[in-house]
Amino acid sequence: MGNELYNNVAIRALNQTKTLNPIIYLAVRCFFENFSKKYGDINLLEEYIKRKLYVRKYWSIKENKLYKEKEKDEFIYRDVLSLSAFGVICESFLMRKIVDEECLENKDFVYSYILPDSKKSTRNYQYYFNGYRERNEAILLALNNNSEKIALVLDLQKFYPSVNKENVKKIFLEKIKKGNDEINKLSNNIVCSLLNSSSSGIPIGPDLSHLMAQIYLEYFDEKMIEKFPNNYFRYVDDIVIICNGEEKDYIKDFVKGILPPELKINESKTDKLTFNEWQILTKSNDKISENFNEILNEITAFISMHPLKIDELEEMLNKQGFNIPLRRIKKQSKSKNYMRFIQSLMRGIGFLSTYEIYYMKPESIISKLVSLKEFYLLKFNELSQFKYSNDNSAENRSNTQRLKFILNRLLYLCTLEELEKLLIKIPKTEKFSDTKEVILSLSNKNLVNTIKFGGKLVQTVCELWKENNFAKINFTKEDFLQFRNLNEVIDSIIIMYLYQVITFEKDEILKYLDFINKEYFLVIIDEKYIPTLKDNEYIMELYGLLKNVSLERKNELLFTRYDNDESIQLAGLDLGIGYSL
C-alpha cells in the first residue's frame, strides 16, 4: 500500500467526516493511530480493506437525524445513514480506487459530485462550490449566445429517497463492472448493504450514495444532451435547459417521459429566467469574498515560522474581536506535519514564498481581516435590503444563499455585540433560522435549541464558544426534559460534551436514553466502559477504537489535524448553504 496510499485514504476519510460527523472523525483518527502501533507494516492495510470489502455482507451503519428546516416551532429532520469509522475508511479506499482505475468519468454537463482528477486528491469529490459556480457560468454563456431564449429551471422532488433501490443497485454495479471487474467485486457488498439499510431510495449520508445517484441518471442525462446539445445542465437534482419560452410545457412533458418513473418534478421550484435575471441571481459575492480561507492559511504559516509572536497576534485578534480559531491553529502549527508544509514553502511550493512568510507582520494579517470584515458588512447591508420569503423561487433561494455566505464569515469576524446588532437585520424567514440560532445561543447562553438543530450548527457554536472562552454550561434534569426525545439528539449532546461546552452528571442523562443509546453514549465518553450489547457492530467498533482514550485526548484530537493535507475546516462557513437554484 505504501505511505502515500495509506495517508491518502486516512485524509480522505478524515476530510469527509470532520464537519459532518465529529464522533466518527474521532474514531477514524484513533483507528489510524492504533493500526500503525498494532501492525507497524502499513502495507497490510490495503489487503485488510480489500478482504473486508470482498467478504463483509453487512456493514455497520447508524441511523441519524439531520436538520432540514424549521416550520414555526417544529423541527423537520432528514433521515441520514452513517457508516462506522472502518466503513468510512473502506469507502474512501474504494473511491480512490475508482479514480485510480479510471472506470468512471465525469460528464461535461453534470456539475455536481465531480470525481477528482487525481487519485492523490485528499477528498472523494472535488469541492462542490466550484462545480456550482462553473455550472452558473456555463448557463450564463449559453444564454448570452442565445439572447432570445430563457433558462428553464426544474427540480426533482425528493430525489434520493424516491429512487428505486433495486434498479439503482443493478445499474450501478453493471456500470462499475464494465469499467473494472475488480472494482465491481469490491463495491458489491458495501453498495448492497447501504441500499438495504435505507428505508427508502438511495441513503443520504455516505459518499458512495452520490456516485450511485450520478450513475442512475446517466441514461436520462444522455437523452437530455442528445435532445438539447450544449443547452442542458444538471447539478444533483436541479436541471436547467436553455430553450424558447413557449417550449416550457413541451420540455416538462419530455423530461417527465424520460425520467425513471418514480422520479417527479417539483412544481413549486419550476422557474424560467432570462439572461438578465440569471445574471443577477447567480452574481458572485465577488472574488474577495473567498479570501477568508487564504488568510487562515497565512495565519497558520505565520505562527509556524514565528512561534514567539503567537501571543502578540492573539492579543491583536482579541482586541479586534475576531473569533478566529487560534486554539486549533496553534496546535496545528506546532506539529511536525505542519513543519513539513513550511519546509515545502521554503522550496518554493505553496501559496506564499518563504520571504513573504518570514517578513510578515501581525499588523498585515489584522489589516487584511479588517478589510475583509468591512467588505462583508457592506455586502450584508446591501443584501439585507432584498425581500425574502419562505417560498422556493429561484430569486429567493439565490439571495438567501448569498446572504448566508456573508453571514457565515461574519460569525468569525464580529464581536458578539456586533452579531447581536446584525441579528435585528437578518430576514425573518425560516431559511435563516440556523444562522440566527448561532447568535442567539452565544448571546443567551442557552444551548437547548442549538442541540435540536444539530449538525454543523452544533459544531459552529462549539468553535465560537471555545474562542470566546465561555464557561461550560451545566445541564440538569430541567434541560433534558425540554427535548421531546433525547435519543434523537444524543449525537449533538455528545459532541458538545467532547468539545467541553456542556457538562452533566452521567446518571442524569442515562435516565432518558433507550438501551442502545445508553451503550452508544457510554462507549464514547467513558474510556473504561465495557458495553454489554455485543451484537451491535457499530457500538463494538467504537468501543474497540475509543477504549482507554481519555476525554482530554479526545478533545485534543478534535482540535488538531492528522496531517497538513487534512483541510482546516470551520463548520460555520457552509452553515445552511445548499448550492442550487
PDB file of all heavy atoms in Angstrom, residues 23 124 241 294 303 342 344 350 407 424 567:
ATOM      1  N   ILE A  23     -17.916  12.514  15.733  1.00  0.00           N
ATOM      2  CA  ILE A  23     -17.700  11.286  16.510  1.00  0.00           C
ATOM      3  C   ILE A  23     -16.971  10.248  15.662  1.00  0.00           C
ATOM      4  O   ILE A  23     -16.026   9.601  16.118  1.00  0.00           O
ATOM      5  CB  ILE A  23     -19.046  10.746  17.038  1.00  0.00           C
ATOM      6  CG1 ILE A  23     -19.643  11.732  18.048  1.00  0.00           C
ATOM      7  CG2 ILE A  23     -18.866   9.365  17.670  1.00  0.00           C
ATOM      8  CD1 ILE A  23     -21.081  11.453  18.430  1.00  0.00           C
ATOM      9  N   ASN A 124     -12.937  12.799  -1.636  1.00  0.00           N
ATOM     10  CA  ASN A 124     -13.573  11.852  -2.554  1.00  0.00           C
ATOM     11  C   ASN A 124     -14.204  12.542  -3.751  1.00  0.00           C
ATOM     12  O   ASN A 124     -14.406  11.929  -4.801  1.00  0.00           O
ATOM     13  CB  ASN A 124     -14.623  11.026  -1.806  1.00  0.00           C
ATOM     14  CG  ASN A 124     -13.994  10.081  -0.797  1.00  0.00           C
ATOM     15  OD1 ASN A 124     -12.859   9.630  -0.964  1.00  0.00           O
ATOM     16  ND2 ASN A 124     -14.712   9.791   0.274  1.00  0.00           N
ATOM     17  N   ILE A 241     -32.488  23.893 -18.621  1.00  0.00           N
ATOM     18  CA  ILE A 241     -32.487  23.747 -20.080  1.00  0.00           C
ATOM     19  C   ILE A 241     -32.634  25.129 -20.694  1.00  0.00           C
ATOM     20  O   ILE A 241     -33.532  25.895 -20.315  1.00  0.00           O
ATOM     21  CB  ILE A 241     -33.637  22.840 -20.573  1.00  0.00           C
ATOM     22  CG1 ILE A 241     -33.574  21.475 -19.897  1.00  0.00           C
ATOM     23  CG2 ILE A 241     -33.591  22.683 -22.090  1.00  0.00           C
ATOM     24  CD1 ILE A 241     -34.659  21.231 -18.906  1.00  0.00           C
ATOM     25  N   GLU A 294      -7.790  31.736   2.692  1.00  0.00           N
ATOM     26  CA  GLU A 294      -6.397  32.086   2.404  1.00  0.00           C
ATOM     27  C   GLU A 294      -5.755  32.769   3.611  1.00  0.00           C
ATOM     28  O   GLU A 294      -4.599  32.514   3.944  1.00  0.00           O
ATOM     29  CB  GLU A 294      -6.323  32.998   1.181  1.00  0.00           C
ATOM     30  CG  GLU A 294      -6.656  32.304  -0.125  1.00  0.00           C
ATOM     31  CD  GLU A 294      -6.533  33.233  -1.325  1.00  0.00           C
ATOM     32  OE1 GLU A 294      -5.874  34.283  -1.184  1.00  0.00           O
ATOM     33  OE2 GLU A 294      -7.093  32.907  -2.380  1.00  0.00           O
ATOM     34  N   ILE A 303       2.359  31.601  12.286  1.00  0.00           N
ATOM     35  CA  ILE A 303       2.590  31.055  13.623  1.00  0.00           C
ATOM     36  C   ILE A 303       3.685  29.990  13.588  1.00  0.00           C
ATOM     37  O   ILE A 303       4.515  29.889  14.492  1.00  0.00           O
ATOM     38  CB  ILE A 303       1.284  30.472  14.194  1.00  0.00           C
ATOM     39  CG1 ILE A 303       0.302  31.599  14.522  1.00  0.00           C
ATOM     40  CG2 ILE A 303       1.543  29.639  15.437  1.00  0.00           C
ATOM     41  CD1 ILE A 303      -1.061  31.131  14.961  1.00  0.00           C
ATOM     42  N   ILE A 342       5.753  23.895   5.937  1.00  0.00           N
ATOM     43  CA  ILE A 342       6.557  25.112   5.900  1.00  0.00           C
ATOM     44  C   ILE A 342       7.836  24.871   5.107  1.00  0.00           C
ATOM     45  O   ILE A 342       8.281  25.712   4.327  1.00  0.00           O
ATOM     46  CB  ILE A 342       6.882  25.593   7.332  1.00  0.00           C
ATOM     47  CG1 ILE A 342       5.595  25.987   8.057  1.00  0.00           C
ATOM     48  CG2 ILE A 342       7.847  26.765   7.329  1.00  0.00           C
ATOM     49  CD1 ILE A 342       4.798  27.076   7.372  1.00  0.00           C
ATOM     50  N   SER A 344       8.126  22.851   2.660  1.00  0.00           N
ATOM     51  CA  SER A 344       7.756  22.839   1.238  1.00  0.00           C
ATOM     52  C   SER A 344       7.664  24.254   0.696  1.00  0.00           C
ATOM     53  O   SER A 344       7.994  24.518  -0.454  1.00  0.00           O
ATOM     54  CB  SER A 344       6.434  22.089   1.029  1.00  0.00           C
ATOM     55  OG  SER A 344       5.335  22.894   1.415  1.00  0.00           O
ATOM     56  N   GLY A 350       3.863  26.457  -2.836  1.00  0.00           N
ATOM     57  CA  GLY A 350       2.837  26.900  -1.902  1.00  0.00           C
ATOM     58  C   GLY A 350       2.271  28.244  -2.258  1.00  0.00           C
ATOM     59  O   GLY A 350       2.591  28.841  -3.281  1.00  0.00           O
ATOM     60  N   LEU A 407     -22.957  36.094   5.976  1.00  0.00           N
ATOM     61  CA  LEU A 407     -23.215  35.969   7.412  1.00  0.00           C
ATOM     62  C   LEU A 407     -22.318  34.912   8.062  1.00  0.00           C
ATOM     63  O   LEU A 407     -21.808  35.116   9.175  1.00  0.00           O
ATOM     64  CB  LEU A 407     -24.679  35.584   7.640  1.00  0.00           C
ATOM     65  CG  LEU A 407     -25.687  36.721   7.775  1.00  0.00           C
ATOM     66  CD1 LEU A 407     -27.100  36.176   7.738  1.00  0.00           C
ATOM     67  CD2 LEU A 407     -25.449  37.495   9.078  1.00  0.00           C
ATOM     68  N   ILE A 424     -30.813  41.788  14.248  1.00  0.00           N
ATOM     69  CA  ILE A 424     -32.033  42.575  14.028  1.00  0.00           C
ATOM     70  C   ILE A 424     -32.323  42.713  12.534  1.00  0.00           C
ATOM     71  O   ILE A 424     -33.480  42.764  12.111  1.00  0.00           O
ATOM     72  CB  ILE A 424     -31.879  43.979  14.667  1.00  0.00           C
ATOM     73  CG1 ILE A 424     -31.635  43.841  16.173  1.00  0.00           C
ATOM     74  CG2 ILE A 424     -33.094  44.844  14.400  1.00  0.00           C
ATOM     75  CD1 ILE A 424     -31.186  45.119  16.845  1.00  0.00           C
ATOM     76  N   SER A 567      -7.698  19.309   5.639  1.00  0.00           N
ATOM     77  CA  SER A 567      -8.018  20.731   5.490  1.00  0.00           C
ATOM     78  C   SER A 567      -8.438  21.370   6.803  1.00  0.00           C
ATOM     79  O   SER A 567      -8.943  20.704   7.698  1.00  0.00           O
ATOM     80  CB  SER A 567      -9.133  20.922   4.454  1.00  0.00           C
ATOM     81  OG  SER A 567     -10.288  20.228   4.853  1.00  0.00           O
TER      82      SER A 567
END
